[in-house]
Amino acid sequence: MSWGLENRLSRIIRPETGRTVMLAVDHGYFLGPTSGLECPNSTCMPLAPYADTLMLTRGVLRNCIDSSVDTPIVLRVSGGNSVLEEDLSNETIITSVEECIRMNAAGMALSIFVGAPHQHQTIANLAKLVDEGERYGIPVLAVTAVGKDMVRDTRYIGLATRIAAEMGAHIVKTYYCDDFEEVVRTCPVPIVIAGGKKIPEREALELASNGVASGAVGVDMGRNIFQSDSPIGMIKAVRAIVHDDVSVDAAYDIYRSEKADSGAAAPSSGDLEDDRKV
Ligand code: R5P
């Protein structure tokens, strides 16, 4: 692994703890103006200081994020479809590695859709991106999107994460499932947990806690942070779990206390309908 690639990886997974809190705000790449992310600048800027990385598209980065932000950037580089399409797996590479370098990205993120109609294409996209990433010293985060008919279990998640690692991904993002230790055991690269649809705050903290207890190096979480009634409270609470190994109770107290201090508004609608099993 080149020095540059290792250096960028250490900006994503914090060397002090070997863990990471990635903030996923790339939803608009196929969902458009997602609830809570209608104006990415006002959502992301207050959260950026608490995130180890921001995961987003180049369009949002260029137009909505101040260039003085020093939170490392993981650029989503796959896409090309919209929620209006039944089959979302028909993705291609939408942002070149040169653009990632220009935008000073610490990493590149791409989805693979295992078990979906365009499985082959997306896995081949990943392999090509890894070649490019290795050439220029940029790590690749593979987002394992699972086909609509597939059950999120160790067999299936294990299949998707292992394929991502075999293609050369440096980090894999996937969904938590029962017996997640087995998924971690059979995937030779670090795994981060996706948050999924908005759920009550305490449950989202349990998810993060279970993920790291099972061996994940952290989270790449979006809606359960930015759709919370206290996004800063949630990201602080998630950080405490990921980096300080605090209990769910202690983390929930962090969330509640931040919410009380900031006089949080009513809960957001959380009306996002992302029914992909990703
Ligand atoms: C999935 O393809 C994208 O990377 C999403 O932005 C990400 O999975 C969403 O994170 P969350 O499920 O925590 O909102």
Side-chain angles (χ1 to χ4, degrees):
M1 201 182 282
S2 71
W3 191 92
L5 201 147
E6 278 187 31
N7 177 262
R8 285 189 170 96
L9 257 184
S10 75
R11 298 178 61 218
I12 300 172
I13 300 173
R14 301 303 311 163
E16 311 87 272
T17 59
R19 293 200 179 148
T20 184
V21 175
M22 305 179 69
L23 179 65
V25 285
D26 60 331
H27 305 60
Y29 92 93
F30 75 101
L31 287 167
T34 306
S35 179
L37 268 185
E38 294 88 346
C39 301
N41 176 277
S42 51
T43 302
C44 298
M45 291 305 292
L47 291 170
Y50 304 101
D52 292 318
T53 74
L54 292 176
M55 179 200 184
L56 71 189
T57 59
R58 64 168 156 184
V60 165
L61 181 61
R62 188 187 294 140
N63 295 300
C64 311
I65 306 297
D66 299 354
S67 55
S68 58
V69 158
D70 61 5
T71 308
I73 299 299
V74 173
L75 270 190
R76 166 165 282 282
V77 303
S78 74
N81 224 322
S82 91
V83 71
L84 301 178
E85 185 64 42
E86 177 71 13
D87 168 28
L88 289 166
S89 70
N90 192 5
E91 287 199 350
T92 187
I93 294 177
I94 52 165
T95 302
S96 68
V97 68
E98 288 82 3
E99 178 81 325
C100 294
I101 295 166
R102 267 193 296 277
M103 302 195 93
N104 198 26
M108 305 185 283
L110 170 145
S111 292
I112 60 169
F113 293 76
V114 173
H118 292 84
Q119 161 179 280
H120 166 76
Q121 175 182 314
T122 61
I123 293 172
N125 288 343
L126 173 60
K128 281 188 211 129
L129 188 70
V130 169
D131 281 343
E132 295 280 284
E134 292 282 346
R135 186 170 301 128
Y136 294 101
I138 307 182
V140 173
L141 168 72
V143 180
T144 60
V146 172
K148 274 187 176 157
D149 300 328
M150 306 298 168
V151 182
R152 285 187 197 172
D153 60 11
T154 43
R155 182 174 163 272
Y156 207 77
I157 300 282
L159 174 73
T161 52
R162 180 59 177 261
I163 289 172
E166 298 265 355
M167 293 304 109
H170 304 93
I171 310 174
V172 177
K173 168 176 177 172
T174 196
Y175 283 87
Y176 181 78
C177 62
D178 290 341
D179 301 321
F180 199 74
E181 294 88 348
E182 185 59 13
V183 173
V184 173
R185 190 179 74 81
T186 56
C187 178
V189 297
I191 293 183
V192 288
I193 302 284
K197 286 185 180 180
K198 175 76 176 69
I199 51 179
E201 278 72 8
R202 195 187 170 86
E203 288 174 32
L205 296 174
E206 273 165 12
L207 177 74
S209 179
N210 289 338
V212 293
S214 305
V217 300
V219 299
D220 186 12
M221 190 176 267
R223 288 164 284 179
N224 279 293
I225 292 174
F226 65 73
Q227 290 180 347
S228 169
D229 55 9
S230 176
I232 290 185
M234 268 307 274
I235 199 166
K236 283 184 173 176
V238 170
R239 281 197 79 77
I241 286 172
V242 169
H243 286 300
D244 304 326
D245 280 317
V246 306
S247 66
V248 172
D249 283 346
Y252 192 62
D253 283 347
I254 292 171
Y255 152 74
R256 280 200 308 194
S257 134
E258 178 71 32
K259 178 178 160 179
D261 288 352
S262 62
S268 62
S269 58
D271 62 357
L272 173 63
E273 277 311 314
D274 170 13
D275 282 327
R276 289 189 312 170
K277 289 194 174 174
V278 293

